[in-house]
């Protein structure tokens, strides 16, 4: 497995800034309550693992077996920690 | 804990089953497989937005009523679509009885997320059958889903199924035929601080809103997570007392700063994750990209994606022209020989004219476009059933977000190329009310198939010689579609900035994996559309053709008058003359005016109207092609009526003008007021008039 255990905390960033091709784990949702609930129900809940497939204005993500397209305005409220790939 | 059993449904009444599941979980396929042709669908099924009811038969041959409810991710509704689902399941709707039993369909490849809705439904305390669909896909993805273990954990029947191959259907029907179904014994911990609120609201619901206790508890949980409830017409509102209690708890929590909604969702997910650890085994993770991923790499590429979309659109319009030619010629020949046969067989007189000019001429002129409409629906059905439609929406999102709409609006707009009515109905999946309204307002600007006959007739009149290359015709056609599309985007941009100012759009949309198209489903859809079209041709259009013929034939001109004089002084002529001052600056005369008026029944009626008006003038004996009749038409001063400039202007008029009663009726129903449909008529027809005025006057000034 590529996920080596790091001693230092993993870098955190909004999903919009996760590099394309990298995988991150959701740490927190920081938007309005209604948006957060909607994101959670679509599967973007805390500790979900997301792979960013492509990302411009509209992001394409792989989330436990499904492809989900979401606007950057929604993605910026998803805080992820980088766990694999990128950089 | 002994399994609780539900009371068997009274034998005298047909038990009602509801089909519930996430979007893209294969619910519609399962519904088709269960009910076959015994379905009652609204006129315009579109994507799964209409409430569909069908009949299936139990193993013992008893009928079972099956309601196919709209797909949703959660009972907390965010669109009218999801609100219907929630309200039916909670028994809030008067028009639909609360279902006796619920069949939940979950996509086995994506169980965690699918189980969220299932879990909410288990809370309702109704007998539930869980169907794990797409087991074959899950297996190929290296997932082992143990249905038997799940059955043990939840205490309800769990059926492994491959709806697309018909596997698991017998088991499902067996389970549905059982007289007693156990209730679920799922349990999950509601966070302690929330518990008192849940019980207080539940108590009020059962006392003031007459809900059964289990439903009351489920509804209480829902009310606490659902911040702004979407309400739809026809559902009973909550009692004041319940609303009061809810508000007071909300205030209390807001003061404390606790995110109770998030806590509830998370604790539900905890229970689901716990369940999944027992049920799902992730086998050897597949290496490399799946077929879907590889297709997506091209199709959603920022450059190649556009190339693919452009190629598909060109192929669509090209095949409308080339492939349809043969069946169209065939229909046209037979219509002409039918009319000639009637002319020879019957004595001259009003009745003969009624049949040949009114009925055959009018209906024939419209039926001839059936092949092209079928091709259009074939393409749209194909795009939908392969899963490409969602990709198109994804690509378009980048463009649509510039004008303030989100990619989801693309699906209604693309459907509107076929017909604005399913398009407008497909807007029910758009969550934001303002985005939805803007989409409804601009959708009829996308050229629908009813305009196709008008465009084709005008293009035929533009290029009367057969030597003109197909490319020129296709080019003009594509530019008409492009004009309408640009108009739709332009007005969407304008409305989002002025009338319906709102937040920039947010899209969260699942892209289903690619599948081979279900030719049977596509064919069924096409047959349905063809039937609707023919039914319309046989009823409304036939009626209008006969009415129009009568309006052109009466009052009778004095003996010896020419056909032209007859039409001019008929009732239709009077209406056309009344309209002429308004449309003369656009280069249209009163005869075209009659066509514009009758187009309100359906735009393609323009063609049949022209057929009735101009064939009546073409004299005895032969049924000349309509095109030649049009080209021979003149203004009273001898100028040609259908000059190339007028043909183009007329096409542009049809691009923009709102001329469809059925669309107006649907907009009225969907927006629940007359304000928006009336606004739509005003802005669309107003634009049409101004744009045509500009084109015609500039064209004239340039000497065309």
């Amino acid at each position: 497995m590529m996920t080596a255990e790091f001693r230092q905390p993993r870098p955190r960033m909004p999903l919009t800034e996760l590099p394309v091709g990298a995988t991150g784990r959701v740490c927190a949702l920081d938007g309005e309550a209604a948006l957060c609930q909607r994101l959670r129900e679509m599967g973007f809940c805390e500790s979900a693992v997301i792979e960013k497939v492509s990302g411009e204005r509209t992001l394409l993500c792989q989330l436990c077996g499904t492809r989900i397209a979401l606007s950057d305005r929604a993605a910026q409220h998803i805080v992820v920690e980088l766990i694999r790939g990128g950089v | 804990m002994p399994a609780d059993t539900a009371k068997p449904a009274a034998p005298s009444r047909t038990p009602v089953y509801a089909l519930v599941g996430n979007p893209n979980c294969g619910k519609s396929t399962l519904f088709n497989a269960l009910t076959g042709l015994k379905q009652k669908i609204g006129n315009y099924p579109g994507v799964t937005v209409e409430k569909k009811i069908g009949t299936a038969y139990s193993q013992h041959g008893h009928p079972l009523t099956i309601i196919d409810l709209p797909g949703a991710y959660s009972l907390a509704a965010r669109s009218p679509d999801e609100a219907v689902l929630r309200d039916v399941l909670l028994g809030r709707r008067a028009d639909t009885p609360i279902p006796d039993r619920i069949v939940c369909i979950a996509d086995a490849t994506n169980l965690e997320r699918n189980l969220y809705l299932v879990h909410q439904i288990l809370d309702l305390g109704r007998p539930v059958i869980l169907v794990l669909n797409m087991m074959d896909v899950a297996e190929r993805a290296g997932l082992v889903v143990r249905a038997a273990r799940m059955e043990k954990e939840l205490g309800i029947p769990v059926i492994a199924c491959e709806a697309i191959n018909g596997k698991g259907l017998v088991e499902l029907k067996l389970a549905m035929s059982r007289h007693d179904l156990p209730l679920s014994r799922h349990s999950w911990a509601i966070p302690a601080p929330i518990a008192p609120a849940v019980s207080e609201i539940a108590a009020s619901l059962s006392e003031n809103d007459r809900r059964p206790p289990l439903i009351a508890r489920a509804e209480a949980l829902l009310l606490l997570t659902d911040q702004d409830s979407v309400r739809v017409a026809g559902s009973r509102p909550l009692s004041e007392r319940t609303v009061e209690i809810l508000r007071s708890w909300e205030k209390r929590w807001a003061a404390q700063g606790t995110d109770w909604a998030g806590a509830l969702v998370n604790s539900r997910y905890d229970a689901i994750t716990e369940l999944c650890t027992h049920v799902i085994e992730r086998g050897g993770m597949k290496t490399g990209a799946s077929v879907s991923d590889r297709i997506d790499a091209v199709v959603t590429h920022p450059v190649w994606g556009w190339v693919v979309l452009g190629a598909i659109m060109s192929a669509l319009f090209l095949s409308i022209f080339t492939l349809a030619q043969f069946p169209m010629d065939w229909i046209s020949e037979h219509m002409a020989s039918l009319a000639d046969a009637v002319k020879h067989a019957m004595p001259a007189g009003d009745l003969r004219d009624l049949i040949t000019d009114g009925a055959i001429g009018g209906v024939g002129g419209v039926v001839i476009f059936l092949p092209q409409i079928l091709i259009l629906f074939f393409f749209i059905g194909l795009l939908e059933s392969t899963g490409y439609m969602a990709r198109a929406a994804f690509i378009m999102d980048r463009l649509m977000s510039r004008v303030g709409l989100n990619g989801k609006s693309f699906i209604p707009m693309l459907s509107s190329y076929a017909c604005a009515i399913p398009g407008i109905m497909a807007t029910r999946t758009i969550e934001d009310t303002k985005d939805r309204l803007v989409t409804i307002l601009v959708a009829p600007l996308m050229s629908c198939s009813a305009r196709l006959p008008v465009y084709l007739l005008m293009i035929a009149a533009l290029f009367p010689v057969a030597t003109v290359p197909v490319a020129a015709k296709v080019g003009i056609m594509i530019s008409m579609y492009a004009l309408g599309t640009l108009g739709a985007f332009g007005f969407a941009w304008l409305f989002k900035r002025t009338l319906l100012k709102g937040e920039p759009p947010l899209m969260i949309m699942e892209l289903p994996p690619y599948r081979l198209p279900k030719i049977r489903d596509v064919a069924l859809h096409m047959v349905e559309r063809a039937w609707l079209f023919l039914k319309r041709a046989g009823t409304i259009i036939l009626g209008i053709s006969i009415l129009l013929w009568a309006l052109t034939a009466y009052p009778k001109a004095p003996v010896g008058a020419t056909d032209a004089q007859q039409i001019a002084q008929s009732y239709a002529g009077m209406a056309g003359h009344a309209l002429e001052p308004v449309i003369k600056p656009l280069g249209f005369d009163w005869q075209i005016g009659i066509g514009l008026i009758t187009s309100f029944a359906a735009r393609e009626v323009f063609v049949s109207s022209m057929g009735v008006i101009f064939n009546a003038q073409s004299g005895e004996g032969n049924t000349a092609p309509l095109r030649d009749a049009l080209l021979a038409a003149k203004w009273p001063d001898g100028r040609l009526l259908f000059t190339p400039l007028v043909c183009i202007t007329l096409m542009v008029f049809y691009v923009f003008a709102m001329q469809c009663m059925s669309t107006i009726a649907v907009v009225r129903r969907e927006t629940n007021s007359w304000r928006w449909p009336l606004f739509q008529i005003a802005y669309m027809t107003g634009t049409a008039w101004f744009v045509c005025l500009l084109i015609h006057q500039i064209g004239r000034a340039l000497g065309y």
Side-chain angles (χ1 to χ4, degrees), chain B residues 226-290:
Chain B
D226 193 2
Q227 282 85 7
D228 49 355
S229 257
V230 181
R231 288 190 190 86
V232 284
S235 296
R236 278 185 286 277
L238 288 176
S239 67
E240 274 174 37
R241 177 83 191 112
T242 308
V243 175
E244 212 174 281
I245 296 174
L246 189 61
R247 292 282 163 270
S248 78
W249 278 102
E250 276 173 9
K251 239 179 259 162
R252 200 180 309 176
W253 274 318
Q256 291 168 7
T258 8
D259 180 14
W260 34 275
L264 267 178
V265 178
N266 283 346
S267 79
R268 204 185 277 281
Y269 262 116
D270 288 344
I272 292 168
T273 314
E274 165 74 15
L275 176 67
C276 284
T277 53
H278 298 302
V279 171
I280 303 176
E281 249 175 64
R282 278 169 217 282
M285 281 305 280
K286 56 189 168 100
T287 45
S290 71

Side-chain angles (χ1 to χ4, degrees), chain A residues 7 20-21 25 36 41 44-45 48 83 85:
Chain A
R7 285 276 165 251
V20 169
R25 180 182 288 123
C36 291
E41 285 171 355
F44 290 95
C45 46
I83 54 175

Side-chain angles (χ1 to χ4, degrees), chain B residues 337-659:
Chain B
S337 54
L338 181 66
D340 285 341
V342 173
K343 280 193 176 172
H344 289 301
M346 288 178 68
D350 273 1
L351 184 62
R352 192 188 80 173
D353 289 349
L354 169 76
I355 294 174
T356 56
D357 294 336
I360 299 178
V363 173
V366 174
V367 166
I368 190 171
F369 298 104
L370 183 62
Q372 292 180 321
I373 287 164
L374 281 180
I375 291 176
L376 191 68
F377 278 107
F378 174 73
F379 264 84
I380 286 184
L382 213 58
L383 295 185
E384 236 158 47
S385 73
T386 50
Y388 180 76
M389 204 66 121
R391 272 72 184 182
F394 167 73
I395 297 176
M396 290 299 285
D397 188 61
R398 292 173 205 161
L399 188 74
M400 310 268 285
S401 62
R402 303 242 160 104
V403 298
L405 286 177
N406 78 35
K408 272 193 182 170
S409 301
F410 177 66
I411 296 172
M413 286 168 89
L414 189 64
S415 304
S416 298
Y417 279 135
C419 175
I421 291 163
I424 286 166
M425 287 167 68
T427 60
R428 287 181 199 169
T429 55
I430 299 174
E431 293 107 8
D432 187 281
T433 30
K434 283 180 180 165
D435 284 359
R436 183 164 175 260
L437 198 51
V438 171
T439 312
I440 290 178
L441 285 178
V442 302
L445 284 170
M446 312 299 277
S447 285
C448 63
S449 51
R451 273 137 160 150
L452 204 56
V454 181
Y455 295 164
L456 290 165
L457 181 67
M458 287 300 118
I459 289 175
L462 257 181
F463 301 117
V465 274
T467 51
V468 174
V470 176
K473 298 183 188 176
V474 176
I476 294 222
M477 177 71 75
I478 288 184
S479 43
M480 287 304 139
Y481 276 82
L483 188 64
T485 313
L486 277 179
F489 282 119
F491 276 109
W493 181 85
L494 188 71
F495 292 152
K496 275 293 274 193
R497 253 152 209 76
T498 54
L499 215 52
L500 296 157
K501 259 192 212 149
E503 289 282 292
L506 253 175
M507 182 181 71
I508 307 175
M509 185 182 61
E510 186 183 340
L511 305 183
Y514 289 99
R515 290 179 203 138
L516 282 177
K518 290 269 293 175
I519 296 298
R520 184 174 160 266
D521 284 358
V522 176
L524 255 171
H525 189 62
M526 280 168 68
V527 169
E528 218 172 78
R529 309 302 313 195
W531 175 238
L532 263 176
F533 180 79
L534 287 178
K535 214 163 73 180
R536 199 151 68 140
T539 53
I540 300 178
I541 294 177
L542 177 65
I544 289 175
S545 300
I546 291 176
L547 180 73
L548 188 67
W549 174 84
L551 288 178
T552 54
Y554 300 98
K556 284 278 177 208
V559 184
T562 63
D563 286 334
Q565 286 165 335
Q566 163 61 32
I567 287 201
Q569 59 93 55
S570 68
Y571 294 120
M574 291 178 213
H577 280 298
L579 190 64
E580 199 179 64
V582 183
I583 56 173
K584 205 166 182 183
L586 315 181
F588 306 158
D589 75 340
W590 58 273
Q591 302 179 88
I592 297 177
I594 297 174
L596 296 185
I597 296 171
T598 51
S599 284
F600 260 95
R603 289 183 179 91
E604 65 265 36
V605 171
F606 177 80
V607 175
S608 58
S609 302
M610 293 297 107
V612 172
I613 293 167
F614 288 102
N615 274 351
Q617 295 176 328
S618 68
E620 287 291 308
N622 64 329
T623 312
L626 182 52
R627 181 185 73 194
D628 300 340
L630 291 188
L631 288 175
K634 288 189 174 65
W635 284 93
D637 59 13
R639 280 182 296 129
L640 281 179
L641 176 57
F642 285 93
T643 61
L645 180 62
V646 169
C647 291
I648 299 266
T649 315
L650 198 56
M651 275 195 269
V652 172
F653 188 86
Y654 272 83
V655 167
F656 289 109
M658 174 67 162
Q659 293 166 294

